[in-house]
Amino acid sequence: MLQNNSNCSTSHFRYPFFTSTYSLILLFGLPLNLVSLWILVRRNGLKKSVPVIYMANLALSDLLFILSLPFRIIYFAKGNWTLGNTLCMIPGTLFAVNLYSSSLFITLISVDRMLAVVYPLRSRPLRTAPVAWGLCATVWVLIAGLSVPTAMNHQENKDEECNVTRCFEKYTTDEWWNGFYILCCVTFFGILVPFGIILGCTVAVVRQLRGCSMTTSSSNSDMSKIKIVKLFLSNLLIYTICFIPFHIAFILFALNKLKLLHGGAFHDIYFNIHTVTMCMASSNSCLDPLIYYFSTKQLQSRGRCDSSTKTGGIGLILSTSLTPQ
């Protein structure tokens, strides 16, 4: 039972905010990703289509996180953890698993589409199902390695002041230091580097499409270009809303928590910003279906760059459908 103490009260906005946000993500994210995964697997298959392989793995990552949300909802609704240490570690770990696996799978999708548009012939040996499955397996192995220290740093702990058991909060100083080292590492390799790759892919595709003269009708050409660009913009949108703000806020909050940045007067500000951006990061599982939508639109229009474009005399075929690559 919570004591009559302001530090123990669940009236702080983060408790109802997390409860309502996670409930909405569960409500919308679960059916969206289940339907997306069903469409990807049943209608498109996983044997030949490279984009489908990447997107199916992305949907699986989102589903794993969404299925862990009931544990978070129960905790933030009650303010006391009663489900044991193992079940405390799983949701915290799956949040990190989803965040960084999503980042890497979105990067693979962007690179694959860029290669298909900018280097359609030279990239064929790289854009095969075995290569795609190998890259996906590599991502899961890397994420599995990350999950071990993450899980060990997300154990339940006893809040003696409030006489309750905590999960997802109230970590010790040592746990904060360990978490900070992990955070800095994954922010660079799991967020900043992929974001730079996606941005580079987007610029390369836009430049290619601007120099491409389509042989099909003007309206079909413009529609094809718009759909391709929307796919890349949806990737950048997810990063802009979900990944970047959360990591900036988390690093600032951690520096303040470790007394390396500003003083106690700023603690509440960083804490509240971290709370809001964490919910924004969690929403990526609802935004990822945007990628499935723009990628699986059955656009059959194809175009070809003529010999006057910057690519020389090579005919470049642009296709945004999910035909086997």
Side-chain angles (χ1 to χ4, degrees), residues 47-54 112-113 115-117 120 123-130 132 295 302 317-325:
K47 293 183 178 180
K48 295 182 178 180
S49 181
V50 172
V52 169
I53 293 172
Y54 294 142
D112 175 73
R113 294 293 83 191
L115 291 175
V117 173
S123 65
R124 282 188 177 275
L126 299 175
R127 299 178 56 248
T128 63
S295 296
R302 283 170 164 75
I317 298 176
L318 299 179
S319 173
T320 55
S321 62
L322 285 179
T323 52
Q325 305 291 346

Side-chain angles (χ1 to χ4, degrees), residues 123-307:
S123 65
R124 282 188 177 275
L126 299 175
R127 299 178 56 248
T128 63
V131 171
W133 278 116
L135 290 173
C136 289
T138 301
V139 170
W140 285 116
V141 169
L142 292 174
I143 296 301
L146 171 65
S147 67
V148 175
T150 302
M152 299 307 297
N153 212 51
H154 282 77
Q155 301 185 60
E156 67 176 11
N157 56 86
K158 185 68 175 179
D159 189 340
E160 300 294 346
E161 180 184 4
C162 302
N163 193 30
V164 296
T165 302
R166 299 292 189 184
C167 188
F168 318 121
E169 59 180 346
K170 300 289 184 180
Y171 298 115
T172 65
T173 301
D174 288 341
E175 288 172 330
W176 268 106
W177 275 112
N178 293 335
F180 182 68
Y181 295 142
I182 296 172
L183 175 64
C184 290
C185 183
V186 296
T187 297
F188 181 78
F189 292 104
I191 299 297
L192 295 182
V193 171
F195 180 71
I197 293 173
I198 293 173
L199 189 60
C201 289
T202 303
V203 172
V205 167
V206 171
R207 290 181 61 183
Q208 183 69 41
L209 294 181
R210 286 182 62 185
C212 191
S213 174
M214 309 287 259
T215 60
T216 57
S217 66
S218 177
S219 60
N220 288 338
S221 300
D222 291 341
M223 182 178 295
S224 297
K225 291 180 181 180
I226 290 172
K227 294 296 183 180
I228 295 171
V229 172
K230 280 184 176 179
L231 169 63
F232 285 89
L233 291 181
S234 67
N235 293 346
L236 290 175
L237 175 68
I238 292 174
Y239 262 81
T240 302
I241 293 178
C242 302
F243 300 149
I244 303 297
F246 168 71
H247 285 82
I248 293 175
F250 199 0
I251 288 175
L252 291 175
F253 176 58
L255 289 172
N256 177 260
K257 187 78 175 179
L258 296 170
K259 305 186 186 305
L260 299 176
L261 180 67
H262 298 133
F266 290 86
H267 176 77
D268 289 343
I269 297 175
Y270 291 131
F271 181 66
N272 293 338
I273 295 175
H274 168 62
T275 298
V276 173
T277 56
M278 187 169 186
C279 288
M280 292 167 60
S282 300
S283 69
N284 86 87
S285 56
C286 289
L287 292 178
D288 284 342
L290 285 175
I291 297 175
Y292 315 145
Y293 173 78
F294 289 125
S295 296
T296 57
K297 289 292 289 182
Q298 299 301 310
L299 299 174
Q300 300 301 327
S301 59
R302 283 170 164 75
R304 189 180 298 271
C305 283
D306 62 19
S307 58

